[in-house]
Amino acid sequence: MAYKRNIDRLPIIPAGAKEHNVTCHYCIVGCGYKAYTWPLKKQGTTDSNWMGEDLSKQQGAETEAWYAPSMYNVVKQNGADVHLVIKPDVNCQVNSGLGSIRGARMAENRRSDVTGSQKQRLTDPMVWRYGTWQPTSWDDALDLVARVTARVIDKDNENDLYVSMFDHGGSAGGYENTWGTGKLYFESMKVKHCRIHNRPAYMSEVHSSRDMGVDELNYNYADYEVTDTIFLVGTNPMECQTNLFLNHMVKGMQNGAKVVISDPRRTVTVDSCEQVAGAENVLHLPITTGSDVALHNTLFTYIADQGWVDADFIAKSTFQGDVAVAADSAYPASLGSFEAARVACKMSLADGAAATGLTEAQLIQAAEWIAKPKEDGSRRKCVTGYEKGIIWGNDNYRAIGSLLNIGLATGNVGREGGGVCRLGGHQEGYYRPSDAHVGRPAPYIDQLIIAGGGKVHHIWANDHFKTTLNASEFKRVYNRRSNMVKEAMDARAGATREEMVDAIVGAINAGGLFVVDVDIIHSQIGQAAHVILPAVESGEMNLTSMNGERRLRLTEKYMDAPGSAKPDCMIAAGIAQALERVLREEGRTEYADQFKGYDWASEEDSFMDGYNKGNPEVTYERLRAMGNDGVLEPVTGFADGKLVGTNRLYEDGVFKRHGREDGKALFCMGEWRGWQAAGKAQQQANHRFLINNGRANMNWQNWFLDQGNEFVMDRFPVPFIQINPDDMADLGIKAGDMVEVHNDMGATQALAYPEPTAKRNETFMVFGAPNGAQGNIVNPGVNELILPDYKHTWANIRKISDATPASAAVSYKSWEVEL
Amino acid sequence: MKCNRLVDVGRRQFLRGGVLGVAGAAAATVMPAGQAQAQTARAMLDYPSTKLANLADLKVNEPMDIGYPDAESPGILLKLGTAVEGGAGPDGDIVAYTVLCPHKGFYMSYHAADKTLNCPGHFSRFDCEKGGQQVWGHATQNLPQFALRVDDKGDIYAEGADELIYGRLSNVLQG
């Protein structure tokens, strides 16, 4: 039986309950929510409540006067238990009251001593002692971190300290926390061996867009509502940016927009577009996986040959000449003028059709919908959204560059109804000192760790074990190296701090790795840690982020941190202060001085020390007043009591993201060249199934909270892999059977979910699961500039067992709605 | 066939006009016997025991419109034709669910071919053979299912619900 909460009534929010601005801490869309809190022994009534509505009556569809059990919890606020309701904000422009299956469970996914939810949250620092993790004080834990770290770093030589640190907004990220960690590692230190939460190096996911002069978040979500065509490439917004789709793309389709979707699989997004716009207004291009550059170059060539370009825009806003930037190890393709790109990217319809598996008619229709002027001669507006299908796909640099070529050629950047933008994963919230010392290309951290690099590893909410590539080998090596240190510590149980540090340093000099893990839960890589430091999420602290249209909001703190957990910025400050103290004790005065400047009393101090210094108009007080609509970055002023933002980037036709003084955008001169990352062609040749992979609607990213959420784990007790039913029959697999997915890199497991629309021999597996990491079978090959190609993995599939009782109980019906 | 889209005026009207206002629905809408209001403050809700139909009234895979716990709460009573976990009746195949989508409260339609309830608002769908499990969608709960009892005469009674019904903060309206 499906999981049911058996909650048949909820406490009513009373009039006068405290109301807090909340931006959903999950995806980049950043839906507005309101958090209501009130004392435990108070409640509203059906005739006296926060809405002033008569709640003795059934409320209609889309009512503001209802909330689901998932939107309710009991939490601590200033030490006292309070009721908490977090419900979608009907007045927020982003979502207009819509809640996703992820965000509308925020309240339920708060830690509660009373309801027992999210007991997996960390509450106190822990140190490896007596063969396991023992709770301890912050002072004790930070002292150990500082003393061991100080032994492997020195002024101008910090290469033995490896750092994995999130760079996102929302969740436990945000401007406060990226500044705290950024100041520690990029200002007090110049750490070169670092990486970001979802990739094995410290670099952009969209180098080419920035090199061409175009920031990847350049539009306003409202552009989807007023456009003629929505072009979606390697992205599945109905599942991954749900309320951007439902509240903005749907309105665009209702206003007459056509939709072109480039994706090797038929996603829920394709079906939903057909439901809204009618199948005749939706063109799904089920391209041969990895052939994106061929598709984009063919469309670009055809559109240019037809003359469906914006000649004025090209003349005024793009580089004139031949080559502006020549290709080298830091630039995987030359960049230059429109005409130079036409020559470099030239691809005929016939060649394009052969490479992409599409028909010439499909290519022509796509080009017409994207760029052909309307019957009255006016230009067609087209907004382009792309995401991990090409970011984590084949030939990242050229795939994104060739797509942006189309947007620039047709004048669809910086215009109403236009934009060429990432749809995004998390929200953004990046404010750090320069990372120029890291270099370009950046070091491939995970492979360096496998090769024995690093002595101390600080991890900030990264779980390589669930989400990295080549994860099978990474885990083997990482466990071995971190166990060397655990064994050394176990052997010296009862030793003084000084003796213990000596023992640890001995182990790391013999090839071991000392691991400090900062996270909100005890993660899988955290199992290898020697010190674990508990962090908080937004709502447990004040936190600022921006969404996919650069909308900056402040989520107000509405509850206490679990136990003694702290904001990441305050933990970073604690590490800095401990390092300063230890270095001073050791007589390394000059180096110790680099760690001054962290006397922050709260996360707001970190915000003022970092973001506010670069954006002096922006303060917590002003953001609080801007509410859930916030302000679109960059903020340009403060007038009439409001922050003044920027509705859309590049409306002036001046492009400077690449740093060029002339303000001219560049075109990408990258021809189609097949597989770019090492080992892909060979793996494809040797295995039957494509294991395409990515996110799904129900769970957020690597399931860190959802693994403790019964509603989610009841639906997918094991990660699913969607397989064509005829392939399942070939292999003797039934719905729900446990299968092993295995190849030359390793193996993982999944439950088989029949998907009739899947192409033969092409599967889709949900990524990042706690009990079946897809990354186990992704090879270490990366695109230029260390961009991983998670999407291109091939493997064989074998049955492990019949469905477990949990897997047998769930539905295996189609995800496509039947109306 | 696209007769169940959001723009279908009849379905939208249902939400405003109550269960008796529905156009073209199955004839056998059943009203509860008495007032469904909690009389005393007890720890658990007192649900009405409401006769929905007799076994003889049901045809396999043809849902019957019901109102439970009261007329303002539309649902369906359904004989699936094959036994399911939690199914009532001699064949273990009778189930009843709300038809208000727990996401935003739109009125869902039954798709007989795969025995699912489907939402025209934002395309969520629920499996009537799996206790109302959301197959795919935006709701943060599975579909509220009504507990059924069948007596010796074959009369089918609804006597409770296992999740909060959309649009009410108490499944049995109070006030």
Side-chain angles (χ1 to χ4, degrees):
Chain A
M1 285 287 284
Y3 168 70
K4 300 293 175 71
R5 294 180 183 82
N6 277 293
I7 290 174
D8 41 22
R9 58 182 160 173
L10 286 173
I12 294 172
I13 306 171
K18 277 196 229 171
E19 189 179 308
H20 314 257
N21 294 321
V22 171
T23 302
C24 178
H25 46 78
Y26 295 122
C27 93
I28 188 162
V29 179
C31 293
Y33 282 74
K34 289 285 187 183
Y36 297 89
T37 56
W38 68 98
L40 204 56
K41 301 304 178 191
K42 305 265 188 205
Q43 59 181 326
T45 64
T46 53
D47 56 1
S48 172
N49 52 68
W50 89 108
M51 286 290 294
E53 288 282 339
D54 178 0
L55 299 181
S56 69
K57 293 189 163 57
Q58 169 76 28
Q59 307 295 311
E62 301 182 283
T63 180
E64 192 181 352
W66 186 75
Y67 36 95
S70 65
M71 302 177 197
Y72 173 80
N73 212 333
V74 176
V75 299
K76 287 269 195 302
Q77 186 182 73
N78 300 319
D81 289 318
V82 294
H83 297 275
L84 169 71
V85 168
I86 308 179
K87 59 196 291 295
D89 182 357
V90 297
N91 297 312
C92 177
Q93 292 176 29
V94 175
N95 54 310
S96 303
L98 289 169
S100 74
I101 192 173
R102 301 169 299 279
R105 288 184 290 112
M106 273 190 289
E108 180 175 76
N109 274 342
R110 303 287 62 176
R111 187 181 189 281
S112 173
D113 297 329
V114 173
T115 65
S117 57
Q118 290 297 330
K119 297 296 277 188
Q120 64 168 336
R121 288 290 303 274
L122 295 168
T123 56
D124 294 290
M126 294 194 289
V127 170
W128 184 263
R129 269 183 192 136
Y130 327 129
T132 186
W133 295 279
Q134 303 289 348
T136 190
S137 68
W138 279 98
D139 284 348
D140 179 51
L142 292 178
D143 183 75
L144 181 61
V145 171
R147 288 187 188 281
V148 176
T149 303
R151 293 283 289 270
V152 307
I153 56 172
D154 206 348
K155 195 168 172 60
D156 303 323
N157 182 9
E158 287 137 350
N159 289 341
D160 286 337
L161 172 60
Y162 279 44
V163 178
S164 300
M165 53 178 169
F166 61 81
D167 75 341
H168 57 73
S171 198
Y175 289 114
E176 296 79 4
N177 292 326
T178 61
W179 175 250
T181 45
K183 179 168 174 157
L184 175 61
Y185 297 112
F186 288 171
E187 188 176 285
S188 297
M189 293 184 262
K190 292 283 182 215
V191 169
K192 179 183 173 67
H193 289 136
C194 50
R195 61 162 267 170
I196 295 173
H197 55 276
N198 63 350
R199 48 199 190 267
Y202 201 93
M203 73 321 188
S204 170
E205 292 168 284
V206 291
H207 284 102
S208 51
S209 181
R210 295 176 181 184
D211 292 346
M212 292 161 74
V214 181
D215 189 276
E216 63 272 20
L217 302 176
N218 47 67
Y219 59 24
N220 183 306
Y221 282 167
D223 284 317
Y224 285 104
E225 301 172 25
V226 294
T227 193
D228 297 309
T229 299
I230 298 169
F231 184 21
L232 300 174
V233 179
T235 188
N236 179 19
M238 181 58 155
E239 297 202 83
C240 303
Q241 296 86 11
T242 302
N243 292 325
L244 166 59
F245 183 89
L246 291 175
N247 202 38
H248 302 283
M249 294 183 186
V250 163
K251 285 175 183 162
M253 289 180 250
Q254 288 169 338
N255 289 335
K258 295 178 182 294
V259 187
V260 180
I261 302 170
S262 168
D263 197 313
R265 70 180 173 123
R266 179 179 166 86
T267 59
V268 177
T269 296
V270 177
D271 181 56
S272 297
C273 289
E274 290 177 355
Q275 294 290 340
V276 175
E280 67 280 12
N281 291 311
V282 179
L283 176 62
H284 175 212
L285 303 174
I287 64 169
T288 299
T289 189
S291 67
D292 308 85
V293 175
L295 171 67
H296 304 161
N297 281 351
T298 304
L299 294 174
F300 177 66
T301 300
Y302 186 81
I303 287 167
D305 288 350
Q306 303 304 309
W308 297 338
V309 296
D310 190 327
D312 283 350
F313 177 87
I314 292 169
K316 288 177 187 163
S317 293
T318 70
F319 175 76
Q320 307 297 305
D322 188 19
V323 176
V325 179
D328 61 19
S329 65
Y331 291 88
S334 296
L335 306 172
S337 69
F338 169 65
E339 289 300 337
R342 281 188 73 182
V343 173
C345 301
K346 188 171 182 59
M347 195 151 186
S348 69
L349 287 172
D351 289 345
T356 61
L358 302 172
T359 65
E360 292 187 28
Q362 285 174 306
L363 292 165
I364 291 169
Q365 188 179 7
E368 289 179 346
W369 284 14
I370 290 166
K372 186 179 182 181
K374 295 185 227 174
E375 286 184 6
D376 64 2
S378 59
R379 64 178 280 276
R380 182 174 291 275
K381 292 184 278 191
C382 177
V383 54
T384 301
Y386 65 92
E387 191 44 41
K388 291 294 188 282
I390 58 173
I391 290 174
W392 294 159
N394 178 37
D395 209 350
N396 166 294
Y397 196 90
R398 295 181 178 202
I400 294 166
S402 58
L403 181 62
L404 183 52
N405 279 350
I406 298 170
L408 288 172
T410 55
N412 272 309
V413 182
R415 299 265 183 84
E416 183 184 80
V420 179
C421 299
R422 279 191 60 188
L423 290 194
H426 291 84
Q427 284 177 78
E428 303 295 326
Y430 188 94
Y431 196 84
R432 276 178 179 154
S434 168
D435 62 352
H437 63 277
V438 173
R440 176 173 167 152
Y444 188 170
I445 297 303
D446 290 29
Q447 288 299 100
L448 289 176
I449 288 174
I450 288 170
K455 293 182 175 179
V456 171
H457 190 196
H458 292 184
I459 307 169
W460 298 79
N462 281 221
D463 201 344
H464 310 232
F465 280 25
K466 284 196 287 189
T467 60
T468 196
L469 64 173
N470 193 23
S472 296
E473 184 179 21
F474 183 87
K475 282 182 268 203
R476 280 198 304 275
V477 174
Y478 203 86
N479 282 331
R480 178 173 55 74
R481 295 188 61 196
S482 57
N483 271 330
M484 289 171 68
V485 175
K486 284 181 178 171
E487 287 169 13
M489 295 175 81
D490 291 346
R492 293 306 308 270
T496 64
R497 172 59 44 93
E498 190 177 24
E499 292 166 342
M500 184 60 79
V501 171
D502 284 343
I504 292 168
V505 172
I508 60 184
N509 283 335
L513 191 65
F514 180 75
V515 180
V516 179
D517 188 40
V518 187
D519 210 322
I520 63 167
I521 61 165
H522 197 170
S523 66
Q524 291 196 355
I525 197 170
Q527 307 296 317
H530 307 97
V531 178
I532 297 168
L533 303 174
V536 303
E537 283 194 294
S538 72
E540 298 159 350
M541 63 177 285
N542 296 292
L543 190 143
T544 51
S545 303
M546 77 171 190
N547 79 348
E549 54 181 344
R550 310 172 319 285
R551 188 179 296 273
L552 171 65
R553 269 94 40 99
L554 169 68
T555 292
E556 297 177 284
K557 179 177 177 177
Y558 53 78
M559 65 178 283
D560 297 349
S564 66
K566 295 182 182 184
D568 290 87
C569 56
M570 300 304 290
I571 299 172
I575 292 174
Q577 289 165 338
L579 276 169
E580 185 196 351
R581 177 174 50 77
V582 167
L583 292 170
R584 224 173 275 293
E585 271 178 35
E586 294 175 355
R588 300 155 77 182
T589 307
E590 198 183 345
Y591 195 32
D593 287 344
Q594 290 180 202
F595 295 88
K596 292 200 288 194
Y598 293 88
D599 51 344
W600 302 331
S602 72
E603 61 271 23
E604 187 171 4
D605 289 343
S606 174
F607 182 81
M608 297 304 285
D609 189 53
Y611 188 87
N612 174 268
K613 288 224 173 92
N615 302 272
E617 301 289 0
V618 184
T619 64
Y620 270 19
E621 184 185 0
R622 290 176 177 180
L623 280 175
R624 207 172 276 125
M626 297 300 286
N628 277 338
D629 281 344
V631 59
L632 272 63
E633 297 190 64
V635 174
T636 58
F638 182 71
D640 302 326
K642 291 186 173 175
L643 291 165
V644 180
T646 305
N647 193 42
R648 185 181 295 111
L649 300 186
Y650 311 124
E651 288 189 304
D652 58 1
V654 177
F655 295 89
K656 291 204 165 173
R657 189 64 178 82
H658 42 28
R660 289 174 61 87
E661 281 304 309
D662 65 4
K664 305 295 186 194
L666 307 177
F667 285 84
C668 180
M669 301 168 61
E671 77 278 8
W672 160 243
R673 52 183 174 167
W675 294 119
Q676 209 279 307
K680 297 298 181 187
Q682 186 183 19
Q683 195 179 60
Q684 181 178 27
N686 292 333
H687 300 88
R688 173 172 172 181
F689 289 99
L690 172 72
I691 315 294
N692 191 358
N693 58 91
R695 281 170 54 192
N697 189 48
M698 190 159 195
N699 62 286
W700 170 245
Q701 295 291 35
N702 75 28
W703 311 49
F704 54 91
L705 292 180
D706 288 332
Q707 67 186 351
N709 186 281
E710 200 58 36
F711 174 64
V712 172
M713 298 311 289
D714 172 73
R715 178 73 184 98
F716 293 121
V718 178
F720 62 81
I721 184 166
Q722 293 172 315
I723 312 176
N724 182 287
D726 292 334
D727 288 334
M728 288 176 63
D730 270 2
L731 297 172
I733 296 170
K734 304 182 300 297
D737 283 355
M738 184 87 80
V739 297
E740 185 163 68
V741 188
H742 59 101
N743 65 9
D744 49 333
M745 304 313 303
T748 189
Q749 64 176 17
L751 63 81
Y753 200 118
E755 178 49 65
T757 69
K759 293 179 192 170
R760 292 296 303 269
N761 301 321
E762 295 197 4
T763 68
F764 179 83
M765 181 171 172
V766 66
F767 101 119
N771 45 12
Q774 196 276 337
N776 289 358
I777 55 171
V778 181
N779 83 341
V782 290
N783 291 307
E784 288 146 324
L785 305 184
I786 324 296
L787 266 299
D789 183 355
Y790 299 101
K791 301 289 184 186
H792 294 110
T793 295
W794 289 265
N796 294 324
I797 296 173
R798 70 162 79 91
K799 178 172 170 174
I800 295 177
S801 77
D802 289 335
T804 64
S807 296
V810 307
S811 179
Y812 292 96
K813 291 177 181 174
S814 168
W815 295 0
E816 297 197 359
V817 73
E818 294 284 353
L819 297 172
Chain B
M1 188 184 73
K2 295 292 175 191
C3 60
N4 293 314
R5 285 181 174 279
L6 184 57
V7 293
D8 182 327
V9 175
R11 295 295 186 190
R12 292 300 297 274
Q13 201 61 41
F14 185 99
L15 298 166
R16 302 191 195 101
V19 74
L20 295 178
V22 69
T29 296
V30 173
M31 298 291 291
Q35 279 297 313
Q37 291 191 347
Q39 299 301 315
T40 53
R42 298 208 281 182
M44 293 176 65
L45 274 186
D46 285 319
Y47 280 89
S49 178
T50 304
K51 182 182 168 186
L52 302 176
N54 186 276
L55 291 174
D57 300 330
L58 297 180
K59 293 179 182 165
V60 170
N61 211 17
E62 289 185 19
M64 172 186 288
D65 285 358
I66 59 171
Y68 184 81
D70 53 65
E72 298 295 318
S73 174
I76 55 166
L77 178 67
L78 175 64
K79 181 174 173 61
L80 290 162
T82 49
V84 294
E85 195 181 345
D91 301 325
D93 67 342
I94 301 173
V95 292
Y97 296 99
T98 179
V99 291
L100 296 183
C101 179
H103 176 227
K104 297 305 285 183
F106 289 102
Y107 186 102
M108 297 193 287
S109 59
Y110 184 69
H111 184 64
D114 72 354
K115 298 177 181 171
T116 55
L117 280 161
N118 291 262
C119 182
H122 309 96
F123 312 146
S124 301
R125 61 198 322 257
F126 300 85
D127 190 342
C128 294
E129 296 182 294
K130 294 287 185 182
Q133 185 168 59
Q134 185 169 233
V135 181
W136 188 94
H138 314 289
T140 51
Q141 61 196 60
N142 294 312
L143 198 60
Q145 182 171 7
F146 301 133
L148 299 178
R149 175 176 60 86
V150 182
D151 72 8
D152 295 345
K153 293 178 292 195
D155 287 339
I156 305 165
Y157 293 83
E159 303 193 319
D162 57 10
E163 275 280 7
L164 196 64
I165 298 165
Y166 185 88
R168 47 181 67 196
L169 291 173
S170 170
N171 276 347
V172 179
L173 291 173
Q174 299 177 346

